Protein backbone atom coordinates (compact mmCIF):
# COMPACT_ATOMS: atom_id res chain seq x y z
CA UNK A 1 0.00 0.00 0.00
CA UNK A 2 2.82 2.44 0.89
CA UNK A 3 4.63 1.72 -2.37
CA UNK A 4 1.41 2.17 -4.34
CA UNK A 5 0.74 5.50 -2.62
CA UNK A 6 4.29 6.72 -3.29
CA UNK A 7 3.95 5.78 -6.97
CA UNK A 8 0.69 7.74 -7.23
CA UNK A 9 2.29 10.75 -5.52
CA UNK A 10 5.17 10.69 -8.02
CA UNK A 11 2.66 10.55 -10.90
CA UNK A 12 0.89 13.52 -9.35
CA UNK A 13 4.12 15.50 -9.16
CA UNK A 14 4.84 14.76 -12.82
CA UNK A 15 1.36 15.92 -13.80
CA UNK A 16 1.78 19.16 -11.83
CA UNK A 17 5.21 19.73 -13.41
CA UNK A 18 3.62 19.37 -16.86
CA UNK A 19 0.81 21.77 -15.93
CA UNK A 20 3.33 24.35 -14.68
CA UNK A 21 5.27 24.14 -17.95
CA UNK A 22 2.16 24.42 -20.13
CA UNK A 23 0.72 27.31 -18.11
CA UNK A 24 3.98 29.26 -18.18
CA UNK A 25 4.52 28.77 -21.91
CA UNK A 26 0.89 29.60 -22.73
CA UNK A 27 0.77 32.87 -20.81
CA UNK A 28 4.23 34.01 -21.85
CA UNK A 29 3.66 33.73 -25.59
CA UNK A 30 0.41 35.71 -25.56
CA UNK A 31 0.62 39.16 -27.14
CA UNK A 32 0.69 42.19 -24.90
CA UNK A 33 3.13 43.88 -22.53
CA UNK A 34 2.19 43.35 -18.85
CA UNK A 35 4.15 46.44 -17.88
CA UNK A 36 2.21 48.56 -20.37
CA UNK A 37 -1.06 47.04 -19.16
CA UNK A 38 -0.16 47.88 -15.57
CA UNK A 39 1.07 51.43 -16.10
CA UNK A 40 -1.20 52.47 -18.97
CA UNK A 41 -0.52 53.62 -22.52
CA UNK A 42 0.95 56.97 -21.45
CA UNK A 43 3.65 55.59 -19.16
CA UNK A 44 7.22 56.71 -19.79
CA UNK A 45 10.08 54.35 -20.62
CA UNK A 46 11.67 54.57 -17.17
CA UNK A 47 8.43 53.57 -15.44
CA UNK A 48 7.91 50.65 -17.80
CA UNK A 49 11.46 49.39 -17.22
CA UNK A 50 10.98 49.65 -13.46
CA UNK A 51 7.80 47.56 -13.64
CA UNK A 52 9.46 44.96 -15.88
CA UNK A 53 12.33 44.68 -13.40
CA UNK A 54 9.90 44.40 -10.47
CA UNK A 55 8.05 41.46 -12.06
CA UNK A 56 11.20 39.88 -13.55
CA UNK A 57 10.04 40.55 -17.11
CA UNK A 58 13.43 41.93 -18.11
CA UNK A 59 14.99 38.43 -17.95
CA UNK A 60 15.16 35.90 -20.77
CA UNK A 61 12.23 33.47 -21.08
CA UNK A 62 14.22 30.43 -19.85
CA UNK A 63 15.42 32.39 -16.81
CA UNK A 64 11.87 33.59 -16.13
CA UNK A 65 10.72 29.96 -16.12
CA UNK A 66 13.51 28.93 -13.73
CA UNK A 67 12.57 31.77 -11.37
CA UNK A 68 8.87 30.87 -11.64
CA UNK A 69 9.56 27.22 -10.73
CA UNK A 70 11.76 28.43 -7.87
CA UNK A 71 8.85 30.51 -6.57
CA UNK A 72 6.42 27.58 -6.82
CA UNK A 73 8.70 24.95 -5.33
CA UNK A 74 8.32 24.29 -1.57
CA UNK A 75 12.11 23.94 -1.38
CA UNK A 76 13.85 26.90 -3.03
CA UNK A 77 17.04 28.92 -3.17
CA UNK A 78 16.38 32.55 -2.22
CA UNK A 79 18.24 35.67 -1.17
CA UNK A 80 19.27 35.59 2.46
CA UNK A 81 17.90 38.97 3.55
CA UNK A 82 15.00 40.32 5.60
CA UNK A 83 13.12 41.75 2.59
CA UNK A 84 13.00 38.39 0.80
CA UNK A 85 12.09 36.57 3.99
CA UNK A 86 9.17 38.96 4.61
CA UNK A 87 7.99 38.40 1.02
CA UNK A 88 8.21 34.59 0.95
CA UNK A 89 7.82 33.79 4.68
CA UNK A 90 10.39 31.01 4.48
CA UNK A 91 12.28 28.92 7.03
CA UNK A 92 15.99 28.42 6.39
CA UNK A 93 17.41 24.95 5.87
CA UNK A 94 20.99 25.74 4.83
CA UNK A 95 22.71 29.14 4.96
CA UNK A 96 25.11 30.33 2.28
CA UNK A 97 26.83 33.71 1.97
CA UNK A 98 24.07 35.64 0.19
CA UNK A 99 21.67 32.81 -0.55
CA UNK A 100 19.83 30.22 1.51
CA UNK A 101 18.14 26.89 0.86
CA UNK A 102 14.68 27.40 2.34
CA UNK A 103 11.34 25.68 2.81
CA UNK A 104 8.20 27.71 2.15
CA UNK A 105 4.66 27.69 0.80
CA UNK A 106 4.44 27.93 -3.01
CA UNK A 107 4.58 31.60 -3.99
CA UNK A 108 2.13 32.50 -6.78
CA UNK A 109 3.54 36.02 -7.17
CA UNK A 110 1.47 39.20 -7.21
CA UNK A 111 -1.24 40.68 -9.39
CA UNK A 112 -0.22 43.02 -12.19
CA UNK A 113 -3.23 45.21 -11.53
CA UNK A 114 -3.57 45.40 -7.74
CA UNK A 115 -0.01 44.36 -6.67
CA UNK A 116 -1.62 42.04 -4.10
CA UNK A 117 -0.37 38.50 -3.56
CA UNK A 118 -2.25 36.03 -5.74
CA UNK A 119 -2.50 33.69 -2.75
CA UNK A 120 -4.38 36.38 -0.81
CA UNK A 121 -6.73 36.98 -3.75
CA UNK A 122 -7.48 33.28 -4.12
CA UNK A 123 -7.98 32.79 -0.38
CA UNK A 124 -10.84 35.29 -0.53
CA UNK A 125 -12.64 33.58 -3.40
CA UNK A 126 -11.83 29.85 -3.12
CA UNK A 127 -14.07 29.31 -0.03
CA UNK A 128 -17.06 30.77 -1.91
CA UNK A 129 -16.40 28.49 -4.88
CA UNK A 130 -15.93 25.51 -2.55
CA UNK A 131 -19.31 26.21 -0.93
CA UNK A 132 -20.94 26.53 -4.36
CA UNK A 133 -19.41 23.27 -5.64
CA UNK A 134 -20.23 21.40 -2.42
CA UNK A 135 -23.88 22.51 -2.33
CA UNK A 136 -24.25 21.78 -6.06
CA UNK A 137 -22.86 18.27 -5.50
CA UNK A 138 -25.17 17.66 -2.53
CA UNK A 139 -28.15 18.90 -4.57
CA UNK A 140 -27.18 16.72 -7.54
CA UNK A 141 -26.63 13.64 -5.36
CA UNK A 142 -29.88 13.83 -3.38
CA UNK A 143 -32.15 14.61 -6.35
CA UNK A 144 -30.21 12.37 -8.74
CA UNK A 145 -30.31 9.28 -6.53
CA UNK A 146 -33.99 9.85 -5.75
CA UNK A 147 -34.95 10.16 -9.44
CA UNK A 148 -32.70 7.24 -10.39
CA UNK A 149 -34.35 4.95 -7.84
CA UNK A 150 -37.84 6.00 -8.97
CA UNK A 151 -36.87 5.45 -12.60
CA UNK A 152 -35.60 1.92 -11.88
CA UNK A 153 -38.50 0.91 -9.64
CA UNK A 154 -41.09 2.19 -12.12
CA UNK A 155 -39.27 1.04 -15.23
CA UNK A 156 -40.93 1.92 -18.57
CA UNK A 157 -43.56 4.05 -16.80
CA UNK A 158 -44.11 7.77 -17.36
CA UNK A 159 -41.89 8.40 -14.31
CA UNK A 160 -39.04 6.48 -15.94
CA UNK A 161 -39.49 8.22 -19.28
CA UNK A 162 -39.69 11.66 -17.65
CA UNK A 163 -36.54 11.03 -15.59
CA UNK A 164 -34.64 9.82 -18.67
CA UNK A 165 -35.78 12.86 -20.67
CA UNK A 166 -34.65 15.16 -17.86
CA UNK A 167 -31.28 13.38 -17.71
CA UNK A 168 -30.72 13.73 -21.45
CA UNK A 169 -31.64 17.41 -21.30
CA UNK A 170 -29.31 17.99 -18.35
CA UNK A 171 -26.38 16.32 -20.11
CA UNK A 172 -27.00 18.08 -23.43
CA UNK A 173 -27.42 21.65 -22.15
CA UNK A 174 -24.10 23.50 -21.64
CA UNK A 175 -23.74 25.18 -18.25
CA UNK A 176 -23.47 28.68 -19.69
CA UNK A 177 -26.67 28.22 -21.72
CA UNK A 178 -28.56 26.69 -18.78
CA UNK A 179 -27.28 29.48 -16.55
CA UNK A 180 -28.62 32.19 -18.84
CA UNK A 181 -32.05 30.52 -19.07
CA UNK A 182 -32.28 29.90 -15.32
CA UNK A 183 -31.12 33.43 -14.46
CA UNK A 184 -33.63 35.00 -16.87
CA UNK A 185 -36.56 32.76 -15.88
CA UNK A 186 -36.22 32.54 -12.09
CA UNK A 187 -34.20 35.68 -11.41
CA UNK A 188 -36.08 38.06 -13.72
CA UNK A 189 -39.42 36.80 -15.06
CA UNK A 190 -40.49 34.98 -11.88
CA UNK A 191 -38.43 37.01 -9.40
CA UNK A 192 -41.57 38.34 -7.66
CA UNK A 193 -42.58 34.75 -6.85
CA UNK A 194 -39.14 33.21 -6.21
CA UNK A 195 -37.59 36.17 -4.38
CA UNK A 196 -34.34 35.47 -6.24
CA UNK A 197 -32.12 37.83 -8.22
CA UNK A 198 -30.24 37.32 -11.46
CA UNK A 199 -26.90 38.11 -9.82
CA UNK A 200 -25.39 38.39 -6.38
CA UNK A 201 -22.58 37.06 -4.20
CA UNK A 202 -22.70 34.81 -1.18
CA UNK A 203 -22.02 37.84 1.00
CA UNK A 204 -23.70 41.19 0.44
CA UNK A 205 -22.63 44.47 2.01
CA UNK A 206 -24.87 46.50 4.28
CA UNK A 207 -23.66 50.02 5.25
CA UNK A 208 -24.81 49.47 8.84
CA UNK A 209 -24.23 45.75 9.43
CA UNK A 210 -21.26 45.15 7.12
CA UNK A 211 -21.05 41.81 5.33
CA UNK A 212 -24.22 39.73 5.48
CA UNK A 213 -24.55 36.08 4.45
CA UNK A 214 -27.05 36.02 1.56
CA UNK A 215 -27.91 32.37 0.94
CA UNK A 216 -30.63 33.17 -1.61
CA UNK A 217 -27.90 34.21 -4.07
CA UNK A 218 -26.56 30.64 -3.89
CA UNK A 219 -29.69 28.91 -5.20
CA UNK A 220 -29.57 29.71 -8.92
CA UNK A 221 -25.82 29.11 -9.51
CA UNK A 222 -26.05 25.96 -7.34
CA UNK A 223 -28.87 24.53 -9.48
CA UNK A 224 -27.12 25.50 -12.72
CA UNK A 225 -23.82 23.94 -11.66
CA UNK A 226 -25.48 20.79 -10.37
CA UNK A 227 -27.63 20.03 -13.42
CA UNK A 228 -25.09 18.00 -15.37
CA UNK A 229 -23.83 15.80 -12.49
CA UNK A 230 -27.48 15.36 -11.45
CA UNK A 231 -28.30 13.98 -14.89
CA UNK A 232 -25.30 11.62 -14.79
CA UNK A 233 -26.24 10.39 -11.31
CA UNK A 234 -29.82 9.71 -12.43
CA UNK A 235 -28.61 7.45 -15.23
CA UNK A 236 -25.94 5.72 -13.11
CA UNK A 237 -28.38 5.07 -10.25
CA UNK A 238 -31.05 3.76 -12.61
CA UNK A 239 -28.64 1.42 -14.39
CA UNK A 240 -27.10 0.12 -11.15
CA UNK A 241 -30.49 -0.34 -9.49
CA UNK A 242 -31.87 -2.30 -12.45
CA UNK A 243 -28.83 -4.58 -12.31
CA UNK A 244 -29.12 -5.11 -8.55
CA UNK A 245 -32.88 -5.64 -8.60
CA UNK A 246 -32.36 -8.54 -11.02
CA UNK A 247 -29.99 -10.38 -8.64
CA UNK A 248 -30.91 -13.62 -6.89
CA UNK A 249 -30.63 -12.25 -3.36
CA UNK A 250 -33.29 -9.62 -4.18
CA UNK A 251 -35.63 -12.42 -5.31
CA UNK A 252 -34.84 -14.22 -2.06
CA UNK A 253 -35.68 -11.09 -0.06
CA UNK A 254 -39.00 -10.82 -1.87
CA UNK A 255 -39.72 -14.49 -1.22
CA UNK A 256 -39.10 -13.97 2.50
CA UNK A 257 -41.81 -11.34 2.52
CA UNK A 258 -39.67 -8.26 3.15
CA UNK A 259 -41.40 -4.96 2.48
CA UNK A 260 -40.82 -3.16 -0.79
CA UNK A 261 -39.12 -0.19 0.91
CA UNK A 262 -36.78 -2.49 2.85
CA UNK A 263 -35.76 -4.29 -0.34
CA UNK A 264 -35.19 -1.08 -2.29
CA UNK A 265 -33.47 1.14 0.27
CA UNK A 266 -31.81 -1.37 2.61
CA UNK A 267 -30.62 -4.04 0.19
CA UNK A 268 -30.68 -2.79 -3.41
CA UNK A 269 -29.68 0.87 -3.07
CA UNK A 270 -26.75 0.13 -0.75
CA UNK A 271 -25.18 -2.22 -3.29
CA UNK A 272 -25.97 0.07 -6.23
CA UNK A 273 -24.12 3.10 -4.82
CA UNK A 274 -20.56 2.13 -5.83
CA UNK A 275 -20.65 3.71 -9.33
CA UNK A 276 -22.50 6.72 -7.92
CA UNK A 277 -19.79 7.29 -5.28
CA UNK A 278 -17.16 7.03 -8.01
CA UNK A 279 -18.98 9.67 -10.07
CA UNK A 280 -19.37 11.98 -7.06
CA UNK A 281 -15.65 11.87 -6.25
CA UNK A 282 -14.73 12.74 -9.82
CA UNK A 283 -17.41 15.36 -10.34
CA UNK A 284 -16.57 17.44 -7.27
CA UNK A 285 -13.22 18.52 -8.71
CA UNK A 286 -14.90 19.11 -12.06
CA UNK A 287 -17.44 21.41 -10.43
CA UNK A 288 -14.66 23.56 -8.99
CA UNK A 289 -13.31 24.06 -12.50
CA UNK A 290 -16.74 24.22 -14.13
CA UNK A 291 -17.89 27.07 -11.92
CA UNK A 292 -15.96 29.66 -13.97
CA UNK A 293 -18.71 30.74 -16.36
CA UNK A 294 -21.54 29.97 -13.94
CA UNK A 295 -20.05 32.40 -11.40
CA UNK A 296 -19.51 35.00 -14.10
CA UNK A 297 -23.11 34.73 -15.35
CA UNK A 298 -24.61 35.10 -11.87
CA UNK A 299 -22.08 37.66 -10.59
CA UNK A 300 -21.08 35.24 -7.83
CA UNK A 301 -17.83 36.25 -6.15
CA UNK A 302 -15.78 33.09 -6.49
CA UNK A 303 -12.67 31.68 -8.11
CA UNK A 304 -14.29 31.49 -11.56
CA UNK A 305 -15.45 35.09 -11.66
CA UNK A 306 -12.06 36.29 -10.35
CA UNK A 307 -10.23 34.30 -13.00
CA UNK A 308 -12.38 35.47 -15.91
CA UNK A 309 -12.11 39.10 -14.76
CA UNK A 310 -8.32 38.73 -14.45
CA UNK A 311 -8.14 37.23 -17.94
CA UNK A 312 -10.08 40.19 -19.36
CA UNK A 313 -7.51 42.56 -17.80
CA UNK A 314 -4.55 40.34 -18.84
CA UNK A 315 -3.68 39.88 -15.17
CA UNK A 316 -1.78 36.69 -15.93
CA UNK A 317 -0.40 35.86 -12.43
CA UNK A 318 -3.96 35.60 -11.08
CA UNK A 319 -5.07 33.43 -14.03
CA UNK A 320 -2.00 31.20 -13.74
CA UNK A 321 -2.48 30.83 -10.00
CA UNK A 322 -6.14 29.86 -10.47
CA UNK A 323 -5.31 27.24 -13.09
CA UNK A 324 -2.55 25.74 -10.94
CA UNK A 325 -4.87 25.59 -7.93
CA UNK A 326 -7.58 23.77 -9.92
CA UNK A 327 -4.99 21.35 -11.33
CA UNK A 328 -3.68 20.71 -7.81
CA UNK A 329 -7.21 19.92 -6.58
CA UNK A 330 -7.75 17.49 -9.47
CA UNK A 331 -4.46 15.71 -8.77
CA UNK A 332 -5.04 15.44 -5.01
CA UNK A 333 -8.60 14.12 -5.39
CA UNK A 334 -7.53 11.55 -8.01
CA UNK A 335 -4.67 10.35 -5.79
CA UNK A 336 -6.96 10.01 -2.76
CA UNK A 337 -9.58 8.13 -4.80
CA UNK A 338 -6.95 5.75 -6.23
CA UNK A 339 -5.53 5.05 -2.77
CA UNK A 340 -9.05 4.50 -1.41
CA UNK A 341 -9.79 2.02 -4.22
CA UNK A 342 -6.56 0.15 -3.47
CA UNK A 343 -7.45 0.01 0.22
CA UNK A 344 -10.97 -1.26 -0.40
CA UNK A 345 -10.04 -3.65 -3.24
CA UNK A 346 -6.43 -4.98 -3.07
CA UNK A 347 -6.76 -6.28 -6.66
CA UNK A 348 -6.33 -2.67 -7.87
CA UNK A 349 -2.67 -2.73 -6.82
CA UNK A 350 -1.96 -5.76 -8.96
CA UNK A 351 -3.28 -4.13 -12.15
CA UNK A 352 -1.95 -0.57 -11.63
Amino acid sequence: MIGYAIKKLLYGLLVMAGVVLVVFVLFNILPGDPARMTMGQRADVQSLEAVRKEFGLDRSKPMQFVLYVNDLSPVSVLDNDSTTQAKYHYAKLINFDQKALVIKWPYLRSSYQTKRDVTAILSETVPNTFILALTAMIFATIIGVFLGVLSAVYKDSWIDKSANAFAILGISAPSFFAGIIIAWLFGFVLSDFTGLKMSGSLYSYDPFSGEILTLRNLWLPMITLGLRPLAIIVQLTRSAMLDVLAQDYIRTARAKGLSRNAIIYKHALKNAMNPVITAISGWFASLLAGSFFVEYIFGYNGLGRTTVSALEMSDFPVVMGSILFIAFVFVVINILVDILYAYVDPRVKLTS
Side-chain angles (χ1 to χ4, degrees):
M1 175 62 74
I2 295 177
Y4 180 80
I6 292 175
K7 183 166 67 173
K8 289 299 179 180
L9 288 174
L10 292 176
Y11 286 159
L13 290 175
L14 289 176
V15 171
M16 285 304 303
V19 173
V20 169
L21 177 61
V22 171
V23 167
F24 180 85
V25 171
L26 178 63
F27 288 98
N28 279 271
I29 63 174
L30 292 176
D33 183 2
R36 179 74 65 180
M37 297 172 187
T38 303
M39 298 300 295
Q41 297 298 322
R42 298 184 179 182
D44 55 82
V45 177
Q46 291 79 6
S47 299
L48 293 175
E49 291 300 325
V51 171
R52 292 190 183 101
K53 186 175 182 180
E54 177 185 358
F55 291 111
L57 301 174
D58 58 336
R59 309 288 187 91
S60 64
K61 295 298 182 183
M63 181 55 65
Q64 288 185 42
F65 179 70
V66 171
L67 295 175
Y68 187 63
V69 172
N70 191 58
D71 284 345
L72 293 177
S73 175
V75 179
S76 309
V77 177
L78 297 173
D79 292 335
N80 192 7
D81 57 57
S82 57
T83 303
T84 305
Q85 187 169 16
K87 179 179 179 181
Y88 289 90
H89 305 288
Y90 60 74
K92 298 178 184 178
L93 295 177
I94 302 176
N95 264 321
F96 303 108
D97 291 336
Q98 297 180 347
K99 301 283 185 179
L101 182 67
V102 304
I103 183 171
K104 60 175 179 59
W105 288 105
Y107 179 60
L108 299 176
R109 300 192 170 179
S110 56
S111 166
Y112 288 156
Q113 300 295 329
T114 63
K115 303 295 182 70
R116 295 180 61 203
D117 282 352
V118 173
T119 302
I121 295 174
L122 297 184
S123 65
E124 295 175 356
T125 57
V126 166
N128 293 343
T129 297
F130 181 84
I131 291 173
L132 174 60
L134 181 62
T135 53
M137 198 70 253
I138 293 173
F139 161 75
T141 302
I142 294 175
I143 304 300
V145 170
F146 177 73
L147 291 179
V149 170
L150 284 181
S151 181
V153 172
Y154 298 99
K155 182 185 177 184
D156 296 329
S157 68
W158 68 269
I159 296 177
D160 183 25
K161 294 177 181 178
S162 299
N164 280 327
F166 174 77
I168 294 173
L169 181 63
I171 295 173
S172 304
S175 295
F176 65 88
F177 175 76
I180 294 173
I181 298 300
I182 291 174
W184 174 77
L185 182 60
F186 296 101
F188 179 71
V189 177
L190 302 176
S191 61
D192 293 337
F193 302 97
T194 61
L196 303 175
K197 298 180 180 179
M198 291 184 64
S199 63
S201 297
L202 184 60
Y203 291 91
S204 58
Y205 181 78
D206 183 88
F208 300 101
S209 305
E211 281 191 340
I212 301 175
L213 182 64
T214 313
L215 291 177
R216 66 179 181 182
N217 292 335
L218 185 64
W219 281 98
L220 296 184
M222 176 195 73
I223 293 172
T224 302
L225 194 61
L227 276 180
R228 180 162 291 187
L230 189 157
I232 297 292
I233 291 173
V234 169
Q235 293 186 329
L236 286 176
T237 305
R238 179 185 184 275
S239 177
M241 283 290 294
L242 288 175
D243 183 62
V244 170
L245 289 173
Q247 298 297 317
D248 291 337
Y249 71 90
I250 297 295
R251 297 191 186 97
T252 304
R254 290 195 181 107
K256 288 182 176 181
L258 292 180
S259 66
R260 185 182 188 184
N261 288 338
I263 293 174
I264 293 172
Y265 295 105
K266 187 177 180 180
H267 296 280
L269 181 59
K270 181 180 178 180
N271 294 316
M273 286 300 291
N274 284 340
V276 178
I277 293 174
T278 303
I280 292 172
S281 63
W283 267 102
F284 182 72
S286 299
L287 290 183
L288 288 175
S291 65
F292 276 37
F293 291 105
V294 173
E295 290 180 359
Y296 194 75
I297 290 171
F298 290 97
Y300 184 87
N301 186 25
L303 180 63
R305 182 185 177 191
T306 299
T307 305
V308 175
S309 299
L311 188 59
E312 288 179 340
M313 297 186 295
S314 299
D315 199 348
F316 296 146
V318 177
V319 180
M320 294 165 71
S322 300
I323 295 174
L324 291 178
F325 173 77
I326 293 296
F328 176 76
V329 172
F330 265 98
V331 169
V332 169
I333 290 180
N334 285 331
I335 290 175
L336 292 177
V337 171
D338 288 342
I339 293 175
L340 180 61
Y341 284 165
Y343 178 78
V344 174
D345 186 357
R347 294 174 299 175
V348 174
K349 292 183 288 185
L350 301 177
T351 58
S352 300

